[in-house]
């Protein structure tokens, strides 16, 4: 468009809140620089933010652009084991464990697991001993666990959400 810019307006909408105008400024010329300080308005808080940017030219023609920004600084909940139940004795060298992991913001990306003697200390997160479980879009996970030895054992687990936040390590005892 060869018309000069006239105005730019930006609204911000957080989750189900009403949209709030955060910028309304007059412009001139074929290009202009503008700044939106302090995003999001009211400080950083977890949530989905929808920004609607409306540029208006001197002929009152508008171009509208929307962008979604997700802010997630909260760790996911501890992953839960649903199968086998706690303290179940297993008779196989490999067993399929399953469970759920939840995150109220961005969703679960990965559930990691490792297995030790009961009461054993889990390695540091990121250590090669941690293996990734298969996780579906609803946070249900399954893991094929090779049980290293007979006796009382512990499965250690933690989850990471899509924003990169990780949960604490939790444990599940089995035999």
């Amino acid at each position: 468009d060869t018309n000069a810019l006239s105005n730019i307006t930006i609204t911000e909408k957080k989750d189900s809140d009403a949209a709030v105008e955060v910028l309304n400024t007059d412009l001139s010329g074929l290009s202009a620089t503008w700044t939106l300080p302090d995003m999001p308005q009211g400080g950083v808080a977890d949530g989905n933010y929808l920004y609607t940017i409306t540029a208006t030219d001197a002929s009152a023609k508008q171009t509208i652009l929307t962008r979604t920004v997700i802010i997630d600084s909260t760790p996911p909940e501890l992953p839960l084991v649903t199968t086998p139940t706690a303290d179940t004795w297993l008779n196989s060298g490999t067993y399929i464990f399953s469970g759920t992991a939840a995150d109220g913001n961005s969703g679960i990306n990965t559930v990691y697991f490792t297995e030790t003697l009961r009461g054993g200390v889990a390695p540091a997160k990121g250590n090669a001993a941690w293996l990734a479980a298969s996780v579906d879009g609803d946070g249900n996970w399954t893991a094929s666990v090779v049980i290293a030895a007979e006796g009382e054992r512990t499965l250690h687990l933690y989850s990471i959400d899509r924003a990169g936040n990780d949960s604490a390590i939790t444990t599940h005892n089995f035999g």
Side-chain angles (χ1 to χ4, degrees), residues 155-173:
L155 186 69
H156 304 267
L157 304 121
Y158 72 96
S159 57
I160 298 179
D161 66 19
R162 290 186 185 112
N165 304 306
D166 59 327
S167 73
I169 297 172
T170 188
T171 60
H172 184 80
N173 293 323

Side-chain angles (χ1 to χ4, degrees), residues 43-165:
V44 176
D46 286 1
N48 292 313
Y49 294 84
L50 175 66
Y51 291 92
T52 303
I53 303 149
T54 305
T56 306
D57 70 12
S59 298
K61 287 194 325 185
Q62 292 185 331
T63 299
I64 299 172
L65 176 71
T66 59
R67 292 292 184 258
T68 299
V69 176
I70 299 171
I71 297 178
D72 179 1
S73 59
T74 304
E77 296 174 23
L78 295 174
L80 301 174
V81 177
T82 54
T83 304
T85 57
D87 298 314
T88 297
W89 284 93
L90 308 175
N91 61 2
S92 172
T94 301
Y95 194 86
I96 304 296
F97 283 71
S98 62
T100 60
D103 179 67
N105 294 310
S106 61
I108 296 295
N109 187 54
T110 310
V111 172
Y112 287 101
F113 67 93
T114 192
E115 178 263 345
T116 65
L117 279 168
R118 186 167 299 182
V121 176
K125 291 177 182 177
N127 183 294
W130 290 100
L131 303 173
S134 297
V135 181
D136 70 15
D138 295 324
N140 300 305
W141 61 267
T142 59
S144 180
V145 178
V146 176
I147 301 168
E150 292 182 4
E152 294 181 330
R153 311 295 293 173
T154 297
L155 186 69
H156 304 267
L157 304 121
Y158 72 96
S159 57
I160 298 179
D161 66 19
R162 290 186 185 112
N165 304 306

